């Protein structure tokens, strides 16, 4: 696309298409990806490499070959040192105008919706589905194969291990309603 910039020591590998106004920082490695318009990818990001997929075959571990892509839609901002894996059989997708902080890992086949905000050091396990307008606090872990609906807010350092329906605010490990969490926490503090 037009108005493209590529930082020092960055590489664009096989099977990539980039839109207009794409800015790629230094030391970025990009492959197997479709990048929309007005996307910023900060220093050190690794996008489109194979994910962590394997199967047991008797006493051996066999790596699963990944054939999917990473699709990053318009207006996405990706922080420094993020890792976004290509899909295994489906694609990994990041929706429009989603902002991702530094040091975030997004595994294969994850789908993240539009207008999401993801703070630093979060991890998304394979095939998790994240809706639109979701806010994720720092150091949160999202289990694989679960669904988080639109408008959910997740407090920092939470562990999400089951589906969350729309417009809830959750906290803790396992992540539960913030009101319930704070009520339980208050009880513990009074007892000690």
């Amino acid at each position: 696309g037009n108005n493209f910039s590529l930082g020092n020591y960055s590489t664009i590998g096989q099977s990539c298409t980039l839109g207009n106004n794409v800015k790629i920082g230094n030391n970025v490695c990009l492959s197997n990806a479709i990048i929309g318009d007005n996307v910023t990818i900060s220093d050190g990001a690794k996008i489109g490499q194979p994910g962590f997929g394997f199967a047991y075959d008797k006493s051996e571990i066999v790596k699963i070959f990944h054939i999917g892509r990473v699709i990053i839609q318009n207006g996405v901002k990706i922080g420094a040192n993020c890792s976004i894996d290509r899909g295994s059989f489906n694609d990994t997708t990041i929706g429009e105008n989603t902002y991702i902080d530094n040091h975030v890992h997004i595994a294969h086949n994850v789908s993240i919706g539009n207008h999401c905000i993801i703070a630093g050091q979060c991890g998304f396990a394979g095939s998790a589905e994240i809706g639109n307008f979701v806010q994720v606090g720092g150091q949160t872990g999202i289990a694989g194969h679960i669904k988080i609906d639109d408008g959910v807010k997740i407090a920092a350092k939470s562990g999400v291990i089951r589906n969350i329906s729309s417009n809830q605010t959750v906290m803790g490990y396992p992540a539960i309603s913030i009101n319930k969490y704070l009520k339980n926490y208050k009880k513990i503090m009074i007892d000690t």
Side-chain angles (χ1 to χ4, degrees):
N2 298 318
N3 197 27
F4 168 74
S5 66
L6 182 67
N8 297 319
Y9 308 109
S10 291
T11 59
I12 298 175
Q14 63 185 13
S15 304
C16 290
T17 304
L18 286 77
N20 298 316
N21 305 311
V22 173
K23 293 178 179 33
I24 296 177
N26 302 318
N27 297 305
V28 171
C29 184
L30 185 65
S31 61
N32 308 299
I34 297 174
I35 311 295
D37 297 335
N38 305 309
V39 171
T40 300
I41 301 171
S42 298
D43 297 349
K46 308 298 179 197
I47 297 172
Q49 284 71 47
F52 187 64
F54 60 90
Y56 283 104
D57 180 20
K58 297 179 185 170
S59 61
E60 285 185 347
I61 298 174
V62 179
K63 181 143 178 65
I64 295 172
F65 185 68
H66 286 65
I67 59 171
R69 303 167 295 181
V70 174
I71 299 175
I72 298 173
Q73 296 180 358
N74 298 338
V76 171
K77 310 288 185 230
I78 297 171
N81 297 311
C82 289
S83 178
I84 304 175
D85 298 340
R86 70 187 292 195
S88 53
F89 304 109
N90 298 318
D91 295 326
T92 301
T93 59
I94 312 295
E96 290 186 359
N97 300 309
T98 286
Y99 282 36
I100 301 170
D101 195 5
N102 302 332
H103 296 282
V104 171
H105 178 249
I106 298 170
H108 56 210
N109 304 334
V110 169
S111 171
I112 296 178
N114 302 328
H115 307 285
C116 294
I117 298 172
I118 300 164
Q121 298 183 342
C122 290
F124 294 77
S127 300
E129 291 181 51
I130 314 301
N132 301 316
F133 296 97
V134 172
Q135 297 176 29
V136 184
Q139 295 186 336
T140 291
I142 310 288
H145 303 275
I146 65 168
K147 185 172 183 183
I148 298 172
D149 290 332
D150 296 348
V152 169
K153 295 177 183 172
I154 304 169
K157 293 194 175 191
S158 294
V160 182
I161 60 173
R162 60 179 169 253
N163 295 346
I164 301 175
S165 55
S166 298
N167 301 312
Q168 289 192 54
T169 301
V170 298
M171 180 177 203
Y173 182 84
I176 57 175
S177 160
I178 194 165
N179 293 333
K180 187 174 181 182
Y181 179 89
L182 293 173
K183 191 175 182 181
N184 292 342
Y185 182 76
K186 186 177 176 185
K187 262 188 208 176
I188 291 167
M189 293 308 291
I190 290 171
D191 291 344
T192 57

